[in-house]
Amino acid sequence: MVTFSWSSLKLMRSSWSSLKLLKEIGYTRRSFCIGHAEKNDRLISSCKKAYFSDTIHKKTSDDSCARRQIKKLAIGKITTDLKKFLQPFSVLASVTNGVKTSIVRSPERCVYGTGFPFRGVESLFVNRIRCQRGVEPLFVNRIRCQIRRAYSTLTLSIERDILDDYLSFLVCEYDTLSSSLVGEHGEGWSKSREITDRFRQLTPIVTMVRALSEQKELIQDLDSLIAGSDESEMKSMAELEKKECLDKMAELEEELFELLVPDDRVDKNDIVLEMTAGVGGQEAMLFTSEMFDMYQNYAQSRGWDFSVISLDHSDLGGLRFASASISGVDVYKVFKFEGGVHRVQRVPKTERSGRVHTSTMSVAILPQPTEIDISLNPKDLQIETCRASGKGGQHVNTTDSAVRVVHLPTGTFAECQTGRSQIKNKEIALNVLRSRLYTKELEKQMSQTASQRKLQVGSKGRSEKIRTYNYNQDRITDHRLSNNFYNIPQFMLGGMEFDTMIQELLQTDKVEMLKQILEDFRNSKK
Amino acid sequence: MSSCCSASVEKVLRKWTKILTAADIPEAKQSVELIISHVLGHKMIHEVSVSRMLNVTELTRVDNLCEQRLTRVPVQYILGEWDFIDLTLKMRSPVFIPRPETENLAEIIHSHLRELEFATSVNQPRRMLEIGCGSGALSVYLLSKLREFHAVAVDVSAEACQLTRDNADLLEVDDRLTVLNEDIMSDSPSLEELSPFDVLVSNPPYIPCDEVGELEPEVTRHEDHRALDGGVDGLDTVRRILHMASSLVTVGGSIWLEVDSRHPVMIQELLNKQTDTALRYVKTWRDFEKRDRICQLEKVHA
């Protein structure tokens, strides 16, 4: 099986763009920073100042070893020691003018690099090398994906035994089902419907499992061929083929992983985003406004439709409350882990004595149901407008277009005064109401499947502190993730930095879910 | 009341709200918010930052508009525009300002015609008549949503006809709209010529005449009484429309009227008395305050 390490490696010569790359990747804790021996000290101290104050290590034996190796690399000699050092790293990224392939070459590894000298030696690298100058977003993204992939496979390998058990169990179930489908005729329709549904669900998984075991056998054959063969040409050909098989396996595993943990039912839905300033007065409101801008920028950069439902400005330009509806592809999926209490630690603009304050704001993410998910009976609705008194119609001319809708059976309500058209406001209020009811419904379902998942969505998560933005240390900590994020100003722009965190949350959630599935399976076997 | 230097949105808002409230102007704060947003190029105050500074020109403009409000001019006339569902239409004194109830009517008709279109899947152009078009909101909205429709809009007021044309231009439906400046209470031969119609819609004047004088000054002082006053029982124009519908509307065509909440019962009685009527009363629709508001009728035979 492929063994991955948690680390990614940065090889650098002297370039500042290397630093930038490392920062952009954002996986600093798992990254090593290696540079020219003579410039290393300066680089590391600059790093400390600039970006990752707590991630560059002190002088560990690893570190000094790496420095020694790099010194040798710099004078053009490749040693086996360095090869050993590089062994555990799954992804190598470099902004240097080419790394000698014999160092980085390994069948389990992806290598990414920039710079022209790669041209021509491309085939020598493991795979997928793109030549690009500088640190381009595409390049950074690709590395990020690779690290993510390494990460997911690692987690799979932790539960290897039980996973294999589980997979063979699924294959068994599949075989039973397929034979019963062939033989079965007279049974009730609903039962057979159930079976076909499950069958349909299992088919791609089983296909993947079988393809994987095929590759495994192939590798075993190749291994024995390599061991048994004396001819060097034969051997190298077999090794090349083995490398291809391993690549293929990694890809298949990734796909299998996606299949085993299906998307949430509501992942594709649009959302209503609600933000409320919490503890901390004006400062909390200012922060709410900054968060609102971040989400808006992010939504716009993804090409989603972001429309404001209501904004309650404070005197200093902050926001007491804000809500917006966001629609597009997979909006809920991306935003679902944003719900909860966000904490900010900094010296507020309003503070004169320079003390650091801690303030909070909370975010709620309500998935918008489709008309079918939640249908509202007009009889259950009480609609309140300013036109309640008097005769209405031509008799009165009012401009107050605010609408409040109450769902009588549950007491849930929604208000809207987005625009000048009352009927439009009513429509939006109904949408918000529907989202509220839907969220409640989903929460009920979720509490029934009492899960131990670390990542909570819905109201449970709403009161929970999920993230801290520490401006003094320029650090963002998501309390559900193990690593920190840096560069708050960049993060608050809602671009790549923010997306990295989202992706990591999603990945963590998937792993947790798979663990849960395997845990349930283990328990059911007992 | 002019200001000599710049001031923040918040400050101006506070100042004018105080003045209007002291003068007992209804929806004082709301009015000032709408005026400030409008002057700054927005619709709602939440789209504007409260700390934004207004320059001298903007301040003068706000002051002028707010002074108009002091004389009870409806906000819609002051701004010169208002929203009708998802459209922004021009508004001009003294043409009747569409109410939220009419938005309701427009949506009901729209969804009814939509369904009909699905059911019949006839793709030939269809024809609509609006009696008393005012600002043209109803016709313009329906034409902008229903591309296969052509419409004729009639109003007794020349100003209303012009405004309807302007709004049709604005929303680019003018090529499918004919506007007639005629009084339907007298014989109108041109309507006969343009008939038959598949749909007849109207928000006719329906306020009983003794109630017109008791309304708020925004309505009585500034809006055209020809769009409000419906005679002794408020049904003068409605009776005329029902009479005309018999000859102008095709068999199976629908008639939609916005009326006072007392009227649906009276209209049904009216139809029951006339044994020879070609119309059938289909349904009463309620507005969102649960008042009987909209009458749906159908022409059943020739």
Side-chain angles (χ1 to χ4, degrees):
Chain A
M1 195 40 52
V2 188
T3 47
F4 280 107
S5 144
W6 284 84
S7 313
S8 67
L9 170 71
K10 185 68 211 56
L11 278 174
M12 62 167 82
R13 258 159 140 177
S14 61
S15 154
W16 268 99
S17 55
S18 311
L19 262 184
K20 197 174 161 215
L21 173 70
L22 199 53
K23 190 194 80 174
E24 295 257 342
I25 296 169
Y27 287 79
T28 46
R29 182 159 281 176
R30 300 179 212 148
S31 309
F32 281 84
C33 196
I34 306 173
H36 261 316
E38 63 268 27
K39 291 189 180 173
N40 209 18
D41 288 335
R42 207 191 78 203
L43 270 181
I44 287 179
S45 63
S46 323
C47 284
K48 275 183 186 164
K49 261 188 235 150
Y51 307 112
F52 356 82
S53 42
D54 66 331
T55 55
I56 301 287
H57 337 180
K58 294 159 198 105
K59 280 187 182 175
T60 62
S61 56
D62 265 6
D63 209 27
S64 52
C65 158
R67 281 198 211 178
R68 264 206 320 273
Q69 307 312 335
I70 291 298
K71 195 170 187 180
K72 285 180 182 168
L73 177 70
I75 55 171
K77 283 191 178 169
I78 301 143
T79 68
T80 44
D81 280 356
L82 183 59
K83 271 191 190 173
K84 243 183 236 163
F85 177 76
L86 296 176
Q87 198 71 48
F89 299 99
S90 60
V91 181
L92 299 186
S94 170
V95 207
T96 64
N97 296 339
V99 182
K100 281 284 167 48
T101 49
S102 48
I103 315 175
V104 294
R105 196 170 167 188
S106 141
E108 298 88 1
R109 194 186 281 151
C110 275
V111 179
Y112 288 95
T114 60
F116 46 91
F118 279 123
R119 207 183 307 140
V121 293
E122 213 163 302
S123 58
L124 294 173
F125 280 82
V126 180
N127 57 14
R128 279 175 265 163
I129 291 178
R130 296 285 178 276
C131 296
Q132 283 165 330
R133 280 163 192 272
V135 183
E136 288 171 23
L138 198 68
F139 175 62
V140 172
N141 243 357
R142 203 168 287 137
I143 297 172
R144 231 184 246 163
C145 284
Q146 202 55 44
I147 295 171
R148 237 175 262 152
R149 200 165 286 171
Y151 170 53
S152 71
T153 322
L154 169 83
T155 327
L156 275 176
S157 64
I158 291 171
E159 311 244 357
R160 205 67 234 182
D161 293 347
I162 190 79
L163 178 68
D164 282 343
D165 269 8
Y166 180 62
L167 290 176
S168 53
F169 171 79
L170 290 182
V171 173
C172 264
E173 190 186 351
Y174 174 84
D175 288 340
T176 330
L177 283 180
S178 67
S179 63
S180 83
L181 274 176
V182 174
E184 178 221 8
H185 279 295
E187 280 204 47
W189 181 81
S190 66
K191 177 114 189 264
S192 86
R193 168 75 184 267
E194 221 166 81
I195 290 173
T196 40
D197 275 356
R198 180 72 182 152
F199 188 72
R200 202 172 299 139
Q201 200 185 337
L202 285 175
T203 310
I205 298 178
V206 171
T207 317
M208 211 58 77
V209 172
R210 289 194 172 147
L212 260 174
S213 63
E214 254 172 46
Q215 294 291 330
K216 223 181 268 179
E217 276 168 30
L218 212 57
I219 289 169
Q220 274 169 6
D221 289 352
L222 286 168
D223 273 343
S224 60
L225 190 70
I226 292 164
S229 161
D230 298 330
E231 222 177 309
S232 68
E233 198 179 323
M234 187 78 153
K235 216 171 183 170
S236 66
M237 267 176 65
E239 262 167 9
L240 204 70
E241 205 173 323
K242 185 185 167 190
K243 190 202 79 188
E244 274 168 21
C245 285
L246 284 168
D247 278 353
K248 183 95 204 248
M249 266 182 85
E251 255 171 53
L252 288 171
E253 282 215 327
E254 175 72 12
E255 278 173 51
L256 179 64
F257 180 61
E258 291 291 320
L259 286 171
L260 285 175
V261 186
D263 276 354
D264 224 332
R265 183 159 64 91
V266 284
D267 272 356
K268 293 207 171 349
N269 290 33
D270 296 342
I271 60 161
V272 171
L273 164 74
E274 292 185 332
M275 315 174 70
T276 319
V279 188
Q282 290 293 345
E283 159 69 358
M285 294 175 202
L286 284 172
F287 187 63
T288 308
S289 157
E290 286 163 43
M291 290 289 288
F292 186 79
D293 290 344
M294 175 177 89
Y295 289 137
Q296 184 161 13
N297 284 341
Y298 181 70
Q300 276 160 1
S301 75
R302 296 282 304 242
W304 292 336
D305 183 42
F306 188 101
S307 57
V308 176
I309 295 172
S310 69
L311 290 180
D312 184 0
H313 285 286
S314 76
D315 299 342
L316 291 174
L319 285 171
R320 272 185 211 96
F321 175 82
S323 63
S325 88
I326 308 176
S327 50
V329 182
D330 285 346
V331 176
Y332 182 72
K333 179 181 177 178
V334 169
F335 271 104
K336 63 181 166 187
F337 297 121
E338 287 305 299
V341 174
H342 297 242
R343 192 171 68 162
V344 61
Q345 294 172 320
R346 65 178 174 192
V347 181
K349 277 185 200 158
T350 48
E351 165 72 41
R352 279 166 215 278
S353 58
R355 277 181 310 138
V356 172
H357 288 219
T358 299
S359 316
T360 65
M361 56 88 52
S362 63
V363 175
I365 305 292
L366 315 172
Q368 277 187 32
T370 58
E371 294 272 347
I372 309 152
D373 289 330
I374 295 278
S375 65
L376 294 173
N377 186 346
K379 284 202 182 82
D380 294 340
L381 297 177
Q382 183 181 316
I383 293 164
E384 294 163 15
T385 66
C386 68
R387 299 180 73 80
S389 58
K391 294 199 171 70
Q394 291 174 359
H395 287 80
V396 274
N397 175 22
T398 51
T399 48
D400 184 354
S401 54
V403 176
R404 182 185 151 100
V405 189
V406 187
H407 186 246
L408 296 170
T410 60
T412 313
F413 68 92
E415 289 164 316
C416 177
Q417 46 183 337
T418 306
R420 299 189 297 205
S421 157
Q422 193 156 55
I423 208 150
K424 210 74 204 154
N425 286 345
K426 186 184 109 183
E427 209 173 275
I428 297 168
L430 280 174
N431 253 340
V432 174
L433 180 71
R434 230 180 258 127
S435 297
R436 292 224 164 105
L437 291 172
Y438 191 50
T439 310
K440 278 191 183 167
E441 190 69 27
L442 288 174
E443 275 162 15
K444 219 192 281 165
Q445 286 172 15
M446 248 187 286
S447 65
Q448 279 162 2
T449 59
S451 74
Q452 296 298 307
R453 285 166 57 191
K454 195 162 63 173
L455 272 70
Q456 290 285 359
V457 289
S459 73
K460 262 187 211 152
R462 210 173 293 167
S463 53
E464 211 168 281
K465 189 181 74 194
I466 61 155
R467 203 176 289 157
T468 302
Y469 304 72
N470 185 321
Y471 276 70
N472 273 16
Q473 295 169 25
D474 195 24
R475 185 186 62 216
I476 303 165
T477 313
D478 193 294
H479 303 293
R480 298 157 299 185
L481 296 173
S482 51
N483 55 326
N484 291 328
F485 291 76
Y486 300 88
N487 199 347
I488 297 183
Q490 197 67 29
F491 187 91
M492 297 303 285
L493 291 178
M496 200 99 84
E497 279 71 15
F498 177 64
D499 190 59
T500 309
M501 181 181 279
I502 299 256
Q503 296 304 338
E504 212 164 302
L505 281 164
L506 286 174
Q507 193 61 50
T508 310
D509 181 53
K510 282 224 152 172
V511 171
E512 292 263 328
M513 265 158 77
L514 184 65
K515 276 185 185 163
Q516 189 67 43
I517 291 172
L518 293 178
E519 189 62 36
D520 291 348
F521 173 67
R522 199 203 305 263
N523 291 340
S524 72
K525 267 203 335 189
K526 275 175 192 166
Chain B
M1 244 175 272
S2 64
S3 316
C4 54
C5 47
S6 64
S8 71
V9 166
E10 192 201 351
K11 200 176 149 198
V12 182
L13 179 61
R14 211 181 300 135
K15 171 187 135 191
W16 271 107
T17 306
K18 214 169 140 195
I19 297 172
L20 292 187
T21 312
D24 252 349
I25 306 292
E27 302 185 307
K29 186 170 183 226
Q30 181 94 21
S31 303
V32 184
E33 285 177 350
L34 287 163
I35 287 170
I36 294 175
S37 320
H38 180 72
V39 168
L40 298 179
H42 292 274
K43 285 183 178 177
M44 302 297 282
I45 196 75
H46 63 67
E47 295 162 25
V48 181
S49 160
V50 281
S51 51
R52 151 112 204 236
M53 300 303 284
L54 282 82
N55 61 32
V56 180
T57 336
E58 287 161 346
L59 275 177
T60 323
R61 188 99 202 279
V62 169
D63 286 350
N64 283 340
L65 299 183
C66 285
E67 271 161 33
Q68 287 187 43
R69 187 71 192 108
L70 265 180
T71 64
R72 306 294 292 262
V73 177
V75 174
Q76 294 94 331
Y77 289 153
I78 297 176
L79 306 185
E81 61 168 39
W82 197 246
D83 287 2
F84 187 81
I85 312 184
D86 50 0
L87 310 179
T88 301
L89 301 175
K90 290 184 184 174
M91 295 292 143
R92 214 154 46 214
S93 175
V95 182
F96 178 76
I97 298 161
R99 313 286 199 250
E101 283 83 353
T102 315
E103 293 186 312
N104 218 347
L105 171 70
E107 285 222 320
I108 290 170
I109 300 172
H110 175 217
S111 60
H112 174 84
L113 295 178
R114 246 298 115 75
E115 273 170 37
L116 215 63
E117 186 191 353
F118 278 124
T120 54
S121 72
V122 181
N123 234 350
Q124 71 198 44
R126 288 149 60 82
R127 301 173 52 76
M128 175 165 59
L129 171 64
E130 181 181 5
I131 292 176
C133 54
S135 62
L138 208 49
S139 284
V140 170
Y141 175 78
L142 290 171
L143 285 179
S144 74
K145 300 290 162 192
L146 303 162
R147 292 275 150 198
E148 73 282 10
F149 266 88
H150 287 250
V152 174
V154 192
D155 206 296
V156 63
S157 143
E159 292 104 324
C161 288
Q162 191 48 50
L163 188 57
T164 296
R165 277 190 207 105
D166 290 352
N167 280 322
D169 278 348
L170 196 68
L171 275 303
E172 293 171 356
V173 295
D174 48 316
D175 53 331
R176 289 181 287 130
L177 180 67
T178 313
V179 183
L180 290 180
N181 184 11
E182 272 181 24
D183 184 4
I184 57 137
M185 300 308 274
S186 56
D187 283 332
S188 42
S190 45
L191 268 188
E192 291 286 344
E193 262 168 46
L194 291 164
S195 70
F197 298 96
D198 303 291
V199 189
L200 191 162
V201 302
S202 182
N203 175 16
Y206 57 68
I207 304 177
C209 54
D210 55 340
E211 287 175 19
V212 175
E214 297 164 10
L215 305 176
E216 292 286 333
E218 279 82 3
V219 181
T220 45
R221 254 194 253 160
H222 294 97
E223 288 189 301
D224 195 334
H225 283 216
R226 287 175 293 179
L228 304 167
D229 190 338
V232 178
D233 58 356
L235 281 175
D236 281 3
T237 317
V238 173
R239 270 188 289 267
R240 174 73 187 156
I241 290 173
L242 294 180
H243 174 75
M244 288 164 70
S246 312
S247 59
L248 293 176
V249 178
T250 54
V251 174
S254 53
I255 295 121
W256 302 84
L257 303 171
E258 182 191 315
V259 292
D260 189 78
S261 53
R262 293 158 283 185
H263 288 156
V265 183
M266 292 159 80
I267 292 172
Q268 285 174 71
E269 280 170 9
L270 203 78
L271 288 174
N272 287 340
K273 266 185 232 157
Q274 301 172 353
T275 45
D276 60 334
T277 180
L279 306 178
R280 181 174 73 90
Y281 194 92
V282 179
K283 188 178 173 182
T284 306
W285 298 74
R286 290 179 157 186
D287 62 21
F288 35 75
E289 291 298 344
K290 302 215 157 62
R291 282 183 284 243
D292 288 346
R293 181 64 66 192
I294 293 155
C295 303
Q296 179 190 354
L297 296 91
E298 190 193 4
K299 176 154 170 187
V300 279
H301 53 76

